[in-house]
Amino acid sequence: MNKKDNNLKDGNMDHSKMDHSNMDHSNMDHGKMDHSKMDHSNMDHSNMDHSNMDHSNMDHSNMDHGKMDHSKMDHSNMDHSNMDHGNMDHSKMDHSKMDHSNMDHDRGAMGGHAHHHHGSFKEIFLKSLPLGIAILLITPLMDIQLPFQIIFPYADVVAAVLATILYIYGGKPFYMGAKDEFNSKAPGMMSLITLGITVSYAYSVYAVAARYVTGEHVMDFFFEFATLLLIMLLGHWIEMKALGEAGDAQKALAELLPKDAHVVLEDDSIETRPVSELQVGDVIRVQAGENVPADGIIIRGESRVNEALLTGESKPIEKNVKDQVIGGSTNGSGVLYVEVTETGDKSFISQVQTLISQAQSQPSRAENVAHKVASWLFYIAVVVALIALVAWMIIADLPTAVIFTVTTLVIACPHALGLAIPLVVSRSTSLGASRGLLVKNREALELTTKADVMVLDKTGTLTTGEFKVLDVTVLSDKYSEEEITGLLAGIEAGSSHPIAQSIVNHAEAKGIKSVSFDSIEIVSGAGIEGEANGHHYQLISQKAYGKALRMDIPKGATLSILVENNEAIGAVALGDELKETSRNLIEVLKKYGIEPLMATGDNEEAAQGVAEVLGIQYQANQSPEDKYKLVESMKNQNKTVIMVGDGVNDAPSLALADVGIAIGAGTQVALDSADIILTQSDPGDIESFIELANKTTRKMKQNLVWGAGYNFIAIPIAAGLLAPIGITLGPAFGAVLMSLSTVIVAINAMLLRLDPK
């Protein structure tokens, strides 16, 4: 997440206990991560299963495997698809000492190579540009000298030297990418680009050699080689820049746990110990306001613990002796003594980490139309070129056959195709940003257009996630609503309980002065009582009051009754409030034919209340694993699933769903697991996102037709299939068509618009 983004509020995150001291973010540009500068010296590979891992593109030169300990490694940006996590222990990962300064997170571009770490496309493009321009200045375009060109003796030899450097340096991301595509038996964009640059480069070098060796003039393709390579690098860079950086969910999860724990020794003294060294059976002291360091059972003390980030339960939960607490939850005002029951990979947070890795290792189900088009062009070009080679060898001679074959292969890779998708993505992400949408993964746009189901979290997503007064009811004709509100605020004035705070805030917001009480006492297990103006009042739970009331209680709300002389005079209903745009969102989903389903970690009653108001299906009491299985079962039924959430308990299913949408005010873990972030935390923005997805996907398809359409026609002509009837593709004509399709693609991308809100 970009720290410069002021819209992204870390409302629920407590940074105070995070230790950034050893982290150097100063030069961090996540657009293009280069691992070559990483210090791997502390990594331990001993328990890893390397059997299915492809190390081919990794630079091992700086790695010392002797001292390697994976506990300090961050795997989030690795391609996990073929990796076996079975023997890995994630529990002790410590990210605090990693130097991120030289890292650059390239999130692969046009061909959907979401995992290529080929250094920075920006850097490669900017360094290749002067070489490319030099080549364009000294080599004619298919033997036609252009007005700005300077041709001098041996210019072609200089061009050959420059082209060799450009091919090795600038072409590297493409031939590395092509190698990956061939390994996975799916040649596409990278293979097509590699084919174009390799054939044009190799044939041009041969042409120069032939001129000096045999003296005959052979046409070279240096001009096409240089323009093709530069445009493809530029396209990749534009797309990288447009997409938000890849988040690191594993790391954000680790940061929920404090670094150290206060361990209580047998003589009751306190020793501070790193959390990673805690053992089952240790007793730890958790001060007020601290995050709980490990899962355990309370043996002394009572407090309210906020588990909303972890479980989605909206109100802080009363915790007493023998109750369980989860590592990563936040302690309220009491001091707790907790006996550790789980550490390492058995703990709640570690299990969520495992689920996230499982989800991230699943391949995307996006079709990736650009990749398909490139794939067809690749096969057509190779087949047609082979036919041309054989046919022209029979009809004419080898030199003629080679010329037709080379022309076919060089023309196969359209310049416009390199910009067709990136220009649309760039336009789309800037439009999205103006509507509070941060797009981190391009494939999410395409998959959204096919969505069947949207799974929505409740707390913090559909509701505000804050405990508020929903309703104040007057039950006696002796009092007005204002007087009842004043009494409620007065009797709760001295309490730090979340319900009390909500009532006091409600009165303040309405400008109602609280009544001053002389004495306030706690009624054990029922509520509180006090004296004001010579009257005796009690504020007790509905259960403690025990009589029937003539009033409508909002679904899922907590009710407190104000009693005077054993008679109910008023009642206050508190609960989690629906966000204003939630109702409208449900209507929009139904309009697009997407089925809404609410999945919440909250209790049955609270869930049912919200679901009934919205008129949707729901599942309550959902653990992170339940939500994960819910998404998994729908995907297994071949449904395209969008997941919307904000908590740690949503993170695994956000990563697993075809499209994960995180609420900006949610936890860093959720933001890092998602494809899209709603920076305004407004569910209404999902409507803009669905519209953006549909329009962007349509523009991409149009651009692919403009960018590649002419090539499907040009390839057979270049191969000389129409030569017998006198039609061949003049080199100059080919170049004009190419420039034209590039211009059309650029203009079409700029025409992408969203309807006014």
Side-chain angles (χ1 to χ4, degrees):
M1 195 172 101
N2 216 330
K3 288 290 175 224
K4 290 199 286 282
D5 217 326
N6 299 323
N7 291 339
L8 293 172
K9 301 182 188 65
D10 288 320
N12 303 335
M13 266 172 93
D14 176 8
H15 285 75
S16 59
K17 305 182 187 68
M18 275 165 80
D19 172 14
H20 292 75
S21 54
N22 301 328
M23 229 164 160
D24 172 10
H25 287 79
S26 53
N27 306 325
M28 206 158 166
D29 169 20
H30 289 77
K32 330 109 194 140
M33 186 165 200
D34 174 0
H35 286 77
S36 59
K37 307 187 189 73
M38 254 166 99
D39 172 12
H40 293 78
S41 54
N42 300 327
M43 289 187 192
D44 171 15
H45 282 74
S46 54
N47 301 327
M48 236 163 120
D49 175 346
H50 292 72
S51 54
N52 301 325
M53 223 165 142
D54 175 3
H55 287 73
S56 53
N57 304 328
M58 266 166 88
D59 175 343
H60 292 74
S61 55
N62 305 329
M63 279 191 183
D64 169 5
H65 288 72
K67 304 189 198 72
M68 277 181 169
D69 168 10
H70 260 105
S71 58
K72 309 208 168 60
M73 188 167 169
D74 169 9
H75 288 80
S76 57
N77 296 318
M78 266 163 89
D79 175 356
H80 291 76
S81 52
N82 301 323
M83 213 163 146
D84 172 6
H85 285 74
N87 304 326
M88 259 166 94
D89 173 11
H90 288 76
S91 58
K92 304 193 178 68
M93 286 190 176
D94 170 15
H95 296 77
S96 58
K97 305 188 179 65
M98 252 165 109
D99 172 7
H100 289 76
S101 56
N102 298 324
M103 275 190 185
D104 193 8
H105 292 171
D106 238 342
R107 282 185 63 108
M110 295 143 19
H113 297 273
H115 301 291
H116 287 153
H117 292 294
H118 298 311
S120 137
F121 275 106
K122 174 185 177 182
E123 191 184 340
I124 296 177
F125 171 74
L126 293 176
K127 286 182 180 170
S128 301
L129 191 60
L131 285 171
I133 291 171
I135 295 172
L136 301 185
L137 286 175
I138 60 173
T139 61
L141 167 61
M142 295 200 180
D143 276 353
I144 304 157
Q145 188 174 338
L146 302 175
F148 60 82
Q149 291 180 321
I150 316 144
I151 308 296
F152 51 88
Y154 297 112
D156 47 5
V157 178
V158 176
V161 173
L162 293 175
T164 305
I165 302 168
L166 184 58
Y167 180 76
I168 292 168
Y169 177 70
K172 189 178 178 188
F174 302 116
Y175 48 75
M176 286 303 202
K179 186 174 162 223
D180 290 353
E181 287 181 354
F182 275 103
N183 286 344
S184 55
K185 301 188 175 53
M189 181 69 82
M190 294 292 181
S191 310
L192 186 64
I193 297 170
T194 303
L195 181 73
I197 59 174
T198 306
V199 173
S200 54
Y201 164 73
Y203 185 77
S204 303
V205 171
Y206 154 77
V208 173
R211 285 174 211 165
Y212 291 98
V213 174
T214 64
E216 64 176 307
H217 179 72
V218 183
M219 181 172 80
D220 66 59
F221 291 101
F222 282 128
F223 195 96
E224 289 67 35
F225 162 73
T227 50
L228 181 61
L229 190 64
L230 291 177
I231 281 188
M232 291 301 168
L233 285 169
L234 178 66
H236 274 67
W237 173 29
I238 289 172
E239 185 169 344
M240 296 300 168
K241 196 162 152 266
L243 293 172
E245 65 197 44
D248 177 349
Q250 302 282 7
K251 177 175 151 211
L253 259 174
E255 283 171 354
L256 283 175
L257 293 176
K259 290 273 173 293
D260 299 312
H262 311 299
V263 180
V264 183
L265 303 177
E266 285 179 9
D267 59 359
D268 262 3
S269 62
I270 301 287
E271 177 184 278
T272 303
R273 218 180 273 171
V275 168
S276 54
E277 291 175 17
L278 286 178
Q279 306 283 332
V280 171
D282 280 348
V283 175
I284 48 180
R285 185 178 73 188
V286 186
Q287 302 284 79
E290 285 185 343
N291 279 13
V292 179
D295 298 1
I297 288 182
I298 298 172
I299 54 169
R300 212 161 92 209
E302 56 183 49
S303 184
R304 280 186 205 87
V305 176
N306 187 333
E307 298 180 346
L309 295 187
L310 302 164
T311 62
E313 176 76 51
S314 45
K315 57 184 173 196
I317 298 161
E318 290 275 357
K319 296 278 185 182
N320 296 303
V321 174
K322 295 207 172 150
D323 285 344
Q324 287 191 315
V325 287
I326 301 174
S329 55
T330 308
N331 185 19
S333 51
V335 176
L336 295 176
Y337 287 81
V338 176
E339 183 178 331
V340 177
T341 53
E342 300 288 1
T343 60
D345 52 8
K346 299 264 187 338
S347 68
F348 176 86
I349 282 195
S350 196
Q351 286 174 330
V352 174
Q353 279 181 327
T354 308
L355 284 174
I356 292 175
S357 334
Q358 272 173 21
Q360 287 173 336
S361 68
Q362 302 216 355
S364 161
R365 298 199 295 182
E367 275 179 59
N368 207 320
V369 197
H371 189 76
K372 276 191 166 169
V373 170
S375 181
W376 291 332
L377 282 175
F378 178 81
Y379 285 120
I380 290 171
V382 172
V383 171
V384 173
L386 287 172
I387 295 170
L389 181 68
V390 175
W392 285 103
M393 275 174 72
I394 297 166
I395 302 166
D397 51 18
L398 182 62
T400 313
V402 169
I403 275 288
F404 275 113
T405 307
V406 168
T407 311
T408 308
L409 293 174
V410 170
I411 229 154
C413 185
H415 290 56
L417 193 58
L419 293 172
I421 302 288
L423 289 174
V424 176
V425 170
S426 178
R427 173 79 186 146
S428 170
T429 51
S430 62
L431 275 179
S434 70
R435 290 286 174 91
L437 303 166
L438 189 67
V439 180
K440 288 167 36 179
N441 178 2
R442 158 165 83 76
E443 292 179 343
L445 294 163
E446 182 200 318
L447 286 162
T448 299
T449 61
K450 306 195 189 86
D452 300 302
V453 187
M454 184 177 285
V455 179
L456 295 140
D457 169 50
K458 177 183 80 75
T459 312
T461 301
L462 292 169
T463 65
T464 57
E466 292 160 15
F467 220 58
K468 284 190 175 164
V469 172
L470 302 178
D471 190 28
V472 173
T473 309
V474 181
L475 297 171
S476 158
D477 43 20
K478 287 188 279 186
Y479 292 93
S480 68
E481 186 182 327
E482 192 169 320
E483 287 167 329
I484 294 288
T485 307
L487 285 167
L488 287 167
I491 202 167
E492 290 284 29
S495 170
S496 64
H497 192 289
I499 287 182
Q501 298 290 320
S502 307
I503 292 172
V504 173
N505 292 344
H506 174 74
E508 280 174 6
K510 289 202 168 255
I512 297 171
K513 193 169 179 299
S514 60
V515 174
S516 78
F517 274 71
D518 302 331
S519 64
I520 295 174
E521 287 176 7
I522 290 173
V523 182
S524 178
I528 46 176
E529 58 184 356
E531 305 277 335
N533 306 328
H535 292 259
H536 181 77
Y537 297 100
Q538 288 181 309
L539 183 61
I540 53 176
S541 67
Q542 191 180 355
K543 189 170 150 199
Y545 179 62
K547 298 180 199 168
L549 294 164
R550 303 180 308 282
M551 60 176 287
D552 292 331
I553 304 164
K555 265 285 182 194
T558 304
L559 202 65
S560 297
I561 318 289
L562 186 62
V563 177
E564 182 188 8
N565 303 332
N566 286 336
E567 185 203 341
I569 56 168
V572 58
L574 296 111
D576 194 3
E577 192 180 37
L578 263 187
K579 288 187 182 172
E580 287 171 19
T581 48
S582 294
R583 282 188 184 83
N584 184 44
L585 169 65
I586 302 304
E587 282 163 30
V588 169
L589 292 178
K590 289 177 176 168
K591 181 182 92 186
Y592 279 106
I594 300 171
E595 176 200 342
L597 170 69
M598 184 176 82
T600 176
D602 219 335
N603 60 54
E604 180 75 25
E605 196 184 355
Q608 188 183 354
V610 172
E612 281 182 9
V613 170
L614 293 173
I616 58 175
Q617 299 291 314
Y618 72 95
Q619 303 256 0
N621 298 313
Q622 297 275 295
S623 70
E625 199 163 349
D626 293 334
K627 288 191 181 191
Y628 186 90
K629 286 181 174 156
L630 178 70
V631 171
E632 193 171 45
S633 70
M634 289 179 184
K635 283 181 75 171
N636 291 340
Q637 295 162 30
N638 261 343
K639 290 181 176 175
T640 301
V641 186
I642 302 178
M643 168 78 195
V644 187
D646 68 331
V648 171
N649 60 329
D650 302 315
S653 30
L654 282 170
L656 179 67
D658 293 297
V659 180
I661 302 179
I663 301 292
T667 57
Q668 188 64 42
V669 189
L671 300 179
D672 288 339
S673 304
D675 303 303
I676 311 293
I677 296 172
L678 305 179
T679 55
Q680 323 273 317
S681 305
D682 179 3
D685 290 338
I686 295 173
E687 179 180 1
S688 297
F689 172 64
I690 297 173
E691 184 196 344
L692 183 71
N694 283 304
K695 291 188 168 176
T696 303
T697 306
R698 194 157 61 235
K699 275 282 181 242
M700 285 181 182
K701 287 179 176 165
Q702 289 168 3
N703 265 4
L704 287 172
V705 172
W706 284 113
Y710 117 87
N711 286 64
F712 284 103
I713 305 157
I715 291 172
I717 300 177
L721 295 191
L722 303 182
I725 53 168
I727 302 176
T728 55
L729 188 63
F733 182 63
V736 169
L737 272 181
M738 225 165 224
S739 321
L740 200 63
S741 61
T742 308
V743 171
I744 292 171
V745 159
I747 293 170
N748 192 35
M750 289 300 108
L751 295 175
L752 179 62
R753 296 265 187 284
L754 282 178
D755 297 337
K757 255 189 169 177

